[in-house]
């Protein structure tokens, strides 16, 4: 850029001339002015010499004697341009790398005014997010950010989402095939996948609409800028007062500043052509040296401020932020300011280049540290993959063991996703190795459960046969023959083993209904023939009323003895009719209320209550109530064991935390409560088995 460029915007105010400058006077004015014009189209790396960059979009100039003189200087540039272009050519390669990177970015900004917002987006570890979290993050970006600024994070989110969904899809497919399905029939979708696709479609529609509008605007803005260039060229042929012409020129420059973004591939040529004809216009004006020196002084002051800011940025620890602001400084240096006095040019450019190099080197060092961190993450992930492969090698043969292994693998998978990014060159290979290890484990797991399902199907057929026997004999009146048979098939049912979960409750209800129907029929006939049970019911009703009115003394031992006496008296009255057995529940509830008032150990009271309950469940020739209790207690034991295992597994996550931690204390207390609960149920089960 020549010394005479940007005089109109050096301080933002109109320049007042002492006298009008006419074309006739300019011919005899400062003879050095023409030598300062820069019209070369050869490329230079110097931001100050931007008007000499690239090939002009339009090199045809008005055929005036003055312009011909300017054109003749294109092969030998003026001293002003030479001193501005010499520094970067002599600079080290790294300086050029930084400057070229900045130039390329600023050219890209010419097409999109959202560059600052794009660079200000927060970097997040999408690799560690679940599919639901990725969908949430995508939706948030689309809702809160400009659609043209989120391309990079959207592509990263999409890549991570597709990788995770692909893994789930492969697992579902393996499960489908292991169950006997055909590959051609396999189909799987999920709500989160449908949601993600909907968000992505919305993103594409918005992005397409934006680019469609942008294309129209870029074309219009380019046409406006080219028209401004033509208008500046035309000022040389306007026959009017030079002050009026100069005012028109300033208006065109202001219009240029606000014309809006243009296509990036047109950016450099547009700027070069514009500055080329601005040079010609200033040369045409032949401004006096005082005004030029004033412009030099202003430009020097502004460039020193830019240098000072660049040197401050060179000390900033955030290299990415410093580099982004450095781009803005270079753009200001190139586009907003003109040259300075010849004696200052090389020195200030060298200072600015040195600050640029420092920021660039720190940025490169930052990325080198990032690469080291990625290498460390790769080592972590390789170790995790090795653990998964080791778990997959271990062969186990029980459902519980496989459930434990599944939990271990899930923990390793979470650890893998949280380990961070790895170098791009090995990312796909690492991901493929991880998926291969998990797939190997899943195949072995699926094989086990496939065989288990076969065994459960065999058990289902056996139980269906027992159901048929029970249903065929439920209405039989041959009690002497059928009763032993019904008891036998009840015993056989317990020893057959598990059936598929979807059939378990359904077949149990059928079997239970058939057996209950038979034994209810026996009990009904026995009750009809046994007046003694009816009498027992009447007596128990009276005794129950007495117990309800019973007042405890407050002495635990004495009150316990009183309750035992009442219980013994109740049991001594014998059985009641089948349809009157509800009274036993009322008695148990009333006695439980009395026990709760005693100041005794909870476990001791619970066992006393249970022993009392067993006495009521024991009936000659009818084990249904005991069987039901047996089934109930076994189920409770399994439930408590499962909860205890879960708590103990959870405790492993606190291995490095002090036991005084409130959260750890709470888990330990919960484990102790479950152990006590398990011991109580096992003791009940032991008491129950003694009755068989």
């Amino acid at each position: 850029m020549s010394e005479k460029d940007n005089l109109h915007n050096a301080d933002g105010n109109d320049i007042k001339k002492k006298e009008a400058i006419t074309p006739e006077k300019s011919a005899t004015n400062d003879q050095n002015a023409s030598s300062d014009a820069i019209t070369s189209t050869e490329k230079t790396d110097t931001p100050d010499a931007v008007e000499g960059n690239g090939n002009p979009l339009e090199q045809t100039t008005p055929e005036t004697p003055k312009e011909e003189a300017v054109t003749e200087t294109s092969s030998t540039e003026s001293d002003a341009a030479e001193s501005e272009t010499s520094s970067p050519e002599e600079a080290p390669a790294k300086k050029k790398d930084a400057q070229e990177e900045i130039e390329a970015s600023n050219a890209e900004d010419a097409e999109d005014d959202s560059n600052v917002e794009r660079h200000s987006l927060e970097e997040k570890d999408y690799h560690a997010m679940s599919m639901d979290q990725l969908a949430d993050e995508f939706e948030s970006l689309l809702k809160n950010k400009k659609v043209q600024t989120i391309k990079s994070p959207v592509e990263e989110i999409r890549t991570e989402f597709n990788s995770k969904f692909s893994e789930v899809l492969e697992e579902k497919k393996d499960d489908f095939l292991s169950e006997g399905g055909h590959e051609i029939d396999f189909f799987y979708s999920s709500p989160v996948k449908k949601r993600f696709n909907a968000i992505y479609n919305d993103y594409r529609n918005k992005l397409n609409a934006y680019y469609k509008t942008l294309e129209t605007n870029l074309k219009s803005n380019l046409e406006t800028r080219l028209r401004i260039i033509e208008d500046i060229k035309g000022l040389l042929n306007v026959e009017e007062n030079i002050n009026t012409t100069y005012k028109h020129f300033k208006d065109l420059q202001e219009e240029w500043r606000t014309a809006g973004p243009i296509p990036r591939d047109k950016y450099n040529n547009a700027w070069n052509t514009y500055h080329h004809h601005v040079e010609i216009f200033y040369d045409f004006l032949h401004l006096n040296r005082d005004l030029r020196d004033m412009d030099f002084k202003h430009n020097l002051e502004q460039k020193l401020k830019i240098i000072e800011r660049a040197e401050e940025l060179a000390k900033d620890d955030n290299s990415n932020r410093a580099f982004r602001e450095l781009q803005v400084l270079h753009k200001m240096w190139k586009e907003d300011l003109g040259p300075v006095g010849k004696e200052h040019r090389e020195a200030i450019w060298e200072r600015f280049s040195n600050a640029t190099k420092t920021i660039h080197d720190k940025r490169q060092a930052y990325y080198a540290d990032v690469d080291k961190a990625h290498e460390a993450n790769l080592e972590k992930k390789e170790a995790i993959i090795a653990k998964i492969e080791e778990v997959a090698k271990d062969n186990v043969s029980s459902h519980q063991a496989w459930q434990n292994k599944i939990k271990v693998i899930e923990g390793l998978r979470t650890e893998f996703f949280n380990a961070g990014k790895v170098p791009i060159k090995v990312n796909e290979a690492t991901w493929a190795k991880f998926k291969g290890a998990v797939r190997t484990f899943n195949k072995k797991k699926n094989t086990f459960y496939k065989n288990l399902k076969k065994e459960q199907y065999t058990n289902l057929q056996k139980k269906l046969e027992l159901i048929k026997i029970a249903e065929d004999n439920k209405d039989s009146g041959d009690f002497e023959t059928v009763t032993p048979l019904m008891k036998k098939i009840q015993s056989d049912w317990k020893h057959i083993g598990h059936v598929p979960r979807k059939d378990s409750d359904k077949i149990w209800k059928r079997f239970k209904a058939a057996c209950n129907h038979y034994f209810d029929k026996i009990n009904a006939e026995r009750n009809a023939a046994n007046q003694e049970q009816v009498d027992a019911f009447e007596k128990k009703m009276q005794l129950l009323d007495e117990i309800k009115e019973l007042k405890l003394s407050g002495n635990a031992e004495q009150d316990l003895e009183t309750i035992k006496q009442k219980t013994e008296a109740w049991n001594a009255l014998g059985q009641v009719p089948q349809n009157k057995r509800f009274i036993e529940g009322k008695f148990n509830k009333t006695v439980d209320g009395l026990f709760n008032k005693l100041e005794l150990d909870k476990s001791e009271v619970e066992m006393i209550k249970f022993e009392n309950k067993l006495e009521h469940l024991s009936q000659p020739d009818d084990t249904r109530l005991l069987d039901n209790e047996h089934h109930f207690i076994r189920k409770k034991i399994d439930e408590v064991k499962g909860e205890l295992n879960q708590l103990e597994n959870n405790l492993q996550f606190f291995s490095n935390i002090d036991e005084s931690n409130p959260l750890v204390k709470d888990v330990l207390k919960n484990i102790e409560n479950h152990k006590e609960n398990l011991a109580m149920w096992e003791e009940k089960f032991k008491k129950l088995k003694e009755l068989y």
Side-chain angles (χ1 to χ4, degrees):
M1 189 179 293
S2 78
E3 295 102 341
K4 295 180 288 300
D5 192 17
N6 281 330
L7 282 177
H8 60 291
N9 64 2
D11 55 11
N13 299 318
D14 293 346
I15 299 176
K16 298 180 180 179
K17 302 184 192 56
K18 295 180 180 179
E19 58 180 335
I21 301 176
T22 64
E24 289 77 16
K25 294 186 80 173
S26 69
T28 60
N29 205 4
D30 188 354
Q31 297 299 316
N32 293 327
S34 63
S35 67
D36 290 333
I38 300 177
T39 59
S40 172
T41 60
E42 296 177 0
K43 179 168 181 168
T44 174
D45 291 330
T46 310
D48 286 341
V50 64
E51 63 277 8
N53 259 348
N55 297 319
L57 294 176
E58 176 58 70
Q59 296 187 13
T60 304
T61 58
E63 296 180 0
T64 64
K66 181 64 185 173
E67 190 140 9
E68 288 175 2
V70 174
T71 306
E72 290 175 1
T73 66
S74 63
S75 60
T76 57
E77 300 195 6
S78 66
D79 292 341
E82 287 175 359
S83 60
E84 290 267 319
T85 58
S86 61
S87 297
E89 291 174 356
E90 297 170 359
K94 283 191 177 181
K95 287 185 184 178
K96 280 193 173 183
D97 291 343
Q99 292 153 10
E100 289 171 0
E101 187 175 350
I102 291 171
E103 288 291 324
S105 179
N106 285 341
E108 182 178 357
D109 295 348
E111 189 175 72
D112 183 359
D113 58 2
S114 301
N115 185 56
V116 174
E117 182 176 344
R118 180 170 60 251
H119 287 305
S120 65
L121 291 175
E122 180 184 358
E123 293 187 4
K124 296 186 178 182
D125 187 2
Y126 298 119
H127 187 64
M129 295 184 182
S130 67
M131 288 191 291
D132 284 310
Q133 290 172 328
L134 289 170
D136 290 341
E137 184 65 23
F138 191 178
E139 191 171 40
S140 176
L141 285 174
L142 190 58
K143 180 178 179 181
N144 300 315
K145 302 295 181 181
K146 293 180 179 178
V147 69
Q148 69 270 27
T149 67
I150 60 175
K151 180 180 179 181
S152 179
V154 164
E155 287 303 313
E156 189 174 352
I157 288 172
R158 186 175 179 228
T159 299
E160 292 297 342
F161 184 91
N162 287 339
S163 296
K164 287 178 170 60
F165 184 75
S166 175
E167 183 189 6
V168 173
L169 193 66
E170 289 176 2
E171 290 182 5
K172 297 296 183 182
K173 185 176 182 180
D174 288 342
D175 291 342
F176 178 77
L177 296 178
S178 69
E179 292 176 357
H182 296 287
E183 185 169 357
I184 194 173
D185 299 323
F186 175 73
F187 174 80
Y188 174 75
S189 183
S190 68
V192 67
K193 175 62 173 173
K194 293 177 181 177
R195 178 187 170 211
F196 189 89
N197 288 346
I199 299 172
Y200 189 77
N201 288 336
D202 189 19
Y203 164 74
R204 293 297 303 171
N205 291 337
K206 289 184 178 180
L207 191 63
N208 289 336
Y210 164 77
Y211 280 125
K212 186 176 180 180
T213 303
L214 178 64
E215 183 180 4
T216 302
N217 292 339
L218 292 177
K219 183 178 179 181
S220 175
N221 295 340
L222 179 60
E223 291 174 354
T224 298
R225 290 183 184 274
L226 294 178
R227 192 262 302 158
I228 294 172
I229 292 172
E230 291 300 319
D231 288 349
I232 293 175
K233 289 166 59 178
L235 292 177
L236 301 180
N237 298 323
V238 176
E239 294 182 1
E240 61 184 5
N241 182 278
I242 194 63
N243 288 324
T244 303
T245 302
Y246 185 70
K247 177 66 167 60
H248 189 191
F249 171 70
K250 289 179 62 181
D251 292 341
L252 290 173
Q253 286 194 312
E254 181 61 28
E255 187 179 359
W256 176 272
R257 282 192 216 97
T258 60
I262 62 175
R264 74 183 73 174
D265 59 336
K266 307 294 185 183
Y267 170 73
N268 282 327
N269 282 343
W271 271 102
N272 295 337
T273 305
Y274 168 73
H275 286 296
H276 173 74
H277 290 290
V278 167
E279 269 300 320
I280 292 174
F281 181 79
Y282 271 119
D283 198 43
F284 168 71
L285 288 180
H286 232 291
L287 297 178
N288 62 53
R289 178 67 65 179
D290 289 339
L291 292 176
R292 187 185 311 139
D293 290 345
M294 181 178 68
D295 191 35
F296 280 176
K297 179 181 178 182
H298 170 79
N299 291 338
L300 178 60
E301 291 173 352
Q302 297 303 313
K303 287 190 174 183
L304 286 174
K305 289 179 181 178
I306 290 176
I307 292 171
E308 289 169 0
R309 179 55 185 158
E311 290 171 343
E312 289 177 6
L313 292 175
K315 301 175 183 178
D316 193 342
D317 293 333
N318 190 326
S319 58
N320 285 331
R321 179 178 61 203
F323 190 79
R324 287 196 296 270
E325 187 171 341
L326 181 66
Q327 290 176 230
V328 178
L329 296 180
H330 270 265
K331 192 171 183 180
M332 292 170 58
W333 186 289
K334 171 183 175 181
E335 299 177 3
D336 295 345
L337 298 173
V340 300
K342 190 182 300 183
E343 67 276 14
H344 301 295
R345 289 171 187 159
E346 185 173 352
I348 65 170
W349 175 249
E350 185 64 22
R351 278 184 67 187
F352 192 37
S353 296
N354 288 337
T356 297
K357 178 181 180 300
T358 300
I359 294 171
H360 185 263
D361 289 348
K362 289 179 70 173
R363 186 164 179 258
Q364 295 302 313
Y366 164 78
Y367 283 117
D369 291 339
V370 170
D371 290 340
K372 291 179 182 178
H374 288 176
E375 289 291 345
N377 294 341
L378 176 61
E379 294 180 5
K380 294 179 184 177
K381 290 194 170 184
E382 291 283 359
I384 293 169
I385 292 171
K387 290 180 181 179
I388 294 174
E389 291 172 341
E390 190 64 29
V391 173
K393 289 179 183 178
D394 185 22
N395 293 317
V396 293
S397 57
S398 70
H399 167 70
Q400 186 59 49
W402 272 103
Q403 289 301 306
N404 291 337
K405 290 181 68 171
I406 290 171
K407 291 177 182 177
V408 172
I409 293 296
E410 285 300 317
L412 290 173
R413 287 180 75 257
T414 301
E415 191 177 343
F416 180 87
F417 288 128
N418 291 335
K421 296 181 179 180
V422 300
I424 296 178
K425 62 183 179 181
V426 297
N427 185 51
E428 290 188 7
T430 305
W431 176 248
K433 188 175 180 181
F434 168 73
K435 289 199 296 184
V438 174
R439 189 181 298 114
T440 299
F441 171 81
N442 286 335
K443 285 182 178 179
K444 294 184 70 173
K445 176 197 69 176
N446 291 339
T447 299
F448 168 79
Y449 281 105
K450 183 178 180 180
N451 294 332
L452 184 63
K453 287 179 181 178
K454 289 181 180 179
E455 180 183 339
Q456 290 179 345
Y457 181 77
T458 300
N459 293 339
L460 175 61
Q461 299 307 311
K462 292 179 180 179
K463 289 193 173 183
L464 288 174
E465 292 175 1
L466 296 183
I467 290 173
K468 187 176 185 307
I469 294 173
E471 290 178 340
D472 289 345
N473 292 277
K474 67 179 184 177
D475 294 318
S476 174
D478 187 1
F479 300 138
E480 186 175 350
T481 302
V482 176
T483 299
L485 175 63
M486 297 297 277
K487 290 182 178 181
K488 181 179 183 304
I489 64 175
Q490 286 180 326
S491 177
D492 292 343
W493 181 280
K494 299 173 187 175
H495 296 93
I496 288 177
H498 294 289
V499 300
R501 182 175 299 179
K502 63 179 181 179
D503 300 306
S504 180
D505 288 342
K506 180 173 62 176
I507 64 172
W508 167 246
K509 288 177 181 177
R510 281 183 61 189
F511 183 69
K512 181 180 178 181
C515 292
N516 286 350
H517 179 83
Y518 173 77
F519 286 109
D520 286 345
K521 183 178 178 181
I522 293 178
N523 291 331
E525 293 189 11
R526 287 178 177 174
N527 288 340
N530 192 353
Q531 184 61 39
E532 185 177 328
Q533 291 184 352
V534 176
D535 295 338
F537 173 75
E538 297 294 337
K539 294 177 181 178
K540 285 191 173 184
M541 284 291 292
Q542 296 176 7
L543 181 56
L544 181 60
D545 291 337
E546 294 178 10
I547 296 175
K548 287 181 178 179
E549 299 296 328
L550 182 64
K551 302 294 183 181
L552 298 179
S553 65
N555 186 305
E557 294 183 4
Q558 181 180 338
D559 290 336
L560 180 60
E561 183 62 29
T562 300
I563 294 173
K564 287 183 177 180
Q565 290 175 1
K566 295 296 183 181
T567 302
E568 290 173 359
W570 180 276
N571 293 332
L573 292 175
Q575 300 292 328
V576 299
Q578 178 72 23
N579 61 346
K580 304 294 185 180
R581 287 188 178 175
F582 64 83
I583 196 173
E584 302 293 344
K586 291 185 176 182
F587 171 75
N588 290 333
K589 185 177 181 180
T590 302
V591 172
D592 286 348
L594 294 175
F595 277 123
N596 291 336
K597 295 178 181 179
L598 299 179
E599 295 181 359
L600 295 176
D601 180 73
K602 181 179 177 182
S603 299
E604 181 181 354
V605 171
E606 187 66 25
M607 290 308 301
I608 293 173
K609 289 161 60 176
F610 181 70
E611 290 174 358
N612 180 56
K613 181 179 180 180
L614 289 183
E615 293 183 11
H616 299 299
L617 295 178
S618 303
Q619 298 184 27
D621 300 326
D622 188 357
T623 63
R624 286 180 301 162
L625 297 178
L626 288 176
D627 292 340
N628 290 342
E629 188 69 15
H630 180 278
H631 179 74
F632 173 75
I633 293 177
R634 282 296 299 271
K635 184 178 179 181
K636 292 299 293 184
I637 289 175
D638 291 341
E639 288 178 358
V640 175
K641 283 183 177 179
E643 293 171 357
L644 184 59
N645 286 336
Q646 181 64 51
L647 288 169
E648 290 176 341
N649 286 337
N650 291 344
L651 192 59
Q652 294 177 6
F653 292 102
F654 301 102
S655 57
N656 295 326
I657 300 179
D658 196 305
E659 290 188 5
S660 62
N661 183 288
L663 185 58
V664 177
K665 280 185 176 182
D666 186 56
V667 174
L668 292 172
K669 182 179 179 181
N670 208 354
I671 289 175
E672 190 61 32
N673 290 339
H674 276 70
K675 287 182 177 180
E676 293 176 0
N677 200 13
L678 179 61
M680 183 188 68
W681 284 110
E682 288 177 340
E683 181 64 22
K684 287 183 178 182
F685 188 70
K686 181 180 177 182
K687 293 283 185 182
L688 181 61
K689 288 178 65 177
E690 293 175 356
L691 296 178
Y692 277 89

